[in-house]
Amino acid sequence: MHEPAQWRCHITLAKFWGDWRPELEPYDVLEWDGNMLLHGGVSNIWQYVIGNGVTTAGQLLAYFNAANAAIGVGDSTTAAAATQTDLVAASNKLRKGMNSGYPEHTAGTGSANKTIRFRSTFDTTEANWSWQEAGVFNSATLGQGRMLNRRVQDMGTKTSASSFQITFDISID
């Protein structure tokens, strides 16, 4: 029996007044399901599956690790396409490295082990514009690395009065 696999993504955006601190409660939380898995991101995953670019099996997807992974946000409303390699915004885009402890994944063979979580927090001085697009990257440097996925969605306008924390929960079912 053939069971097709499905790429699933759940995005959560928590908005906070001022710079984020663990004790703060968000003033707004938005959630969406779905995104576009990009050709370059898929290729990157398959390269690690076959061992290209890694030295041990334990480094699977190492380039989406805590040292390299980032979430990028921009203001473009251009539709997502699988061939895209970066956010589409010309000037208002920024990539932010992972919060401490992310990406988060628990190794194992149970159903709970099929998800990876990426999380970045943009403080009051960062990305103050209308958020229209977001994605996960394996580099925090604009123009470098691979873009795994992209979501085009009106997420609201971030100002210097707030910090936004965005989380991507990605699984393959």
Side-chain angles (χ1 to χ4, degrees):
M1 174 189 264
H2 173 73
E3 295 182 40
Q6 289 194 349
W7 171 269
R8 298 190 189 277
C9 182
H10 182 81
I11 303 165
T12 304
L13 180 63
K15 301 177 180 183
F16 302 88
W17 293 120
D19 281 325
W20 179 84
R21 296 180 314 278
E23 67 273 11
L24 289 179
E25 292 292 326
Y27 69 82
D28 193 15
V29 177
L30 304 172
E31 298 183 65
W32 305 276
D33 287 315
N35 67 1
M36 174 76 64
L37 178 60
L38 305 179
H39 294 325
V42 174
S43 175
N44 198 66
I45 291 170
W46 292 137
Q47 287 294 85
Y48 292 116
V49 168
I50 64 173
N52 289 341
V54 297
T55 57
T56 68
Q59 292 180 321
L60 184 65
L61 297 180
Y63 293 125
F64 283 95
N65 64 8
N68 299 317
I71 294 177
V73 296
D75 64 358
S76 176
T77 59
T78 300
T83 56
Q84 291 165 337
T85 58
D86 200 353
L87 296 171
V88 179
S91 58
N92 288 327
K93 61 183 173 181
L94 177 69
R95 295 184 196 174
K96 181 76 183 269
M98 296 286 99
N99 286 9
S100 180
Y102 292 88
E104 181 181 78
H105 171 74
T106 302
T109 58
S111 63
N113 307 110
K114 62 185 177 184
T115 301
I116 188 167
R117 174 175 282 174
F118 297 91
R119 178 177 289 165
S120 297
T121 302
F122 295 77
D123 68 25
T124 56
T125 64
E126 301 169 317
N128 293 319
W129 57 70
S130 175
W131 284 26
Q132 299 292 329
E133 60 178 333
V136 175
F137 293 84
N138 66 358
S139 174
T141 304
L142 289 174
Q144 293 185 11
R146 292 277 179 100
M147 187 175 187
L148 181 63
N149 58 341
R150 182 167 178 257
R151 171 75 185 205
V152 178
Q153 176 75 48
D154 183 355
M155 299 175 225
T157 299
K158 184 182 170 308
T159 69
S160 61
S162 63
S163 55
F164 282 12
Q165 184 176 83
I166 188 165
T167 304
F168 281 78
D169 289 310
I170 300 172
S171 64
I172 300 175
D173 290 329

